[in-house]
Amino acid sequence: DVKVTQSSRYLVKRTGEKVFLECVQDMDHENMFWYRQDPGLGLRLIYFSYDVKMKEKGDIPEGYSVSREKKERFSLILESASTNQTSMYLCASSLGGLGNSPLHFGNGTRLTVT
Amino acid sequence: GIQVEQSPPDLILQEGANSTLRCNFSDSVNNLQWFHQNPWGQLINLFYIPSGTKQNGRLSATTVATERYSLLYISSSQTTDSGVYFCAVNSGGYQKVTFGIGTKLQVIP
């Protein structure tokens, strides 16, 4: 079974802090994704990566950056956390190719910015 | 971009009842996936179904790509089926997946 592991289940940070959310997958997947989930809005794509050191902006990249130095690890960075970034963050991975493989999600990180 | 609409937004079922969830999408798609998010937030991939019909136990799904919709059937519902069901589609040449806002299902004993 594919395992996608997010480093923290719950996280509380202060406004202005730099925040790192880590995600690791163990199935040699090429594609990795970061989503945020908010009530009434569903899941919205922040960034995705289709290869090491490659990244593409999703629908809501503002205020975020990402890093993929190794194939198995995809990090989401909040350069200066703000209260409107309080949300559930979900990491996902998929095998690769042109939209032809299922997504596998981690358990999520619930981030609160105070 | 592509629009994904799910209906109904909320559904309450008595245990043992059957239900149908619907997903409409506004453009042709390369693939379509159904997910279940349990009350603890974990998203589980139920079906990867760009077209046709698949069954997995009490759950089945049908996608009619030419008419731009997919249906998820839940038979003999159980309390463990409670949660939010998401439909997600890919319509581009790469792995950008767009989600609907979900159907919240509550199964009561």
Side-chain angles (χ1 to χ4, degrees), chain B residues 46-79:
Chain B
L46 298 175
F47 293 103
Y48 177 86
I49 184 167
S51 63
T53 297
K54 289 186 178 179
Q55 180 150 11
N56 184 1
R58 295 181 296 103
L59 274 59
S60 65
T62 295
T63 297
V64 184
T66 53
E67 297 187 21
R68 300 182 184 171
Y69 73 89
S70 182
L71 302 173
L72 178 68
Y73 305 95
I74 304 174
S75 64
S76 304
S77 58
Q78 300 176 359
T79 55

Side-chain angles (χ1 to χ4, degrees), chain B residues 2-109:
Chain B
I2 191 168
Q3 303 299 312
V4 181
E5 295 182 356
Q6 292 186 243
S7 59
D10 297 278
L11 186 59
I12 299 176
L13 293 178
Q14 199 77 39
E15 196 170 24
N18 303 328
S19 65
T20 301
L21 281 56
R22 187 177 179 102
C23 173
N24 292 332
F25 40 95
S26 61
D27 204 346
S28 59
V29 297
N30 296 328
N31 71 57
L32 184 142
Q33 302 177 61
W34 283 98
F35 295 87
H36 174 225
Q37 187 172 41
N38 64 27
W40 296 272
Q42 176 68 48
L43 271 160
I44 304 297
N45 196 307
L46 298 175
F47 293 103
Y48 177 86
I49 184 167
S51 63
T53 297
K54 289 186 178 179
Q55 180 150 11
N56 184 1
R58 295 181 296 103
L59 274 59
S60 65
T62 295
T63 297
V64 184
T66 53
E67 297 187 21
R68 300 182 184 171
Y69 73 89
S70 182
L71 302 173
L72 178 68
Y73 305 95
I74 304 174
S75 64
S76 304
S77 58
Q78 300 176 359
T79 55
T80 51
D81 295 331
S82 296
V84 183
Y85 289 81
F86 289 100
C87 168
V89 302
N90 169 275
S91 63
Y94 45 83
Q95 284 274 347
K96 183 177 178 182
V97 176
T98 301
F99 283 74
I101 63 170
T103 291
K104 186 175 182 179
L105 172 65
Q106 184 180 359
V107 181
I108 57 178

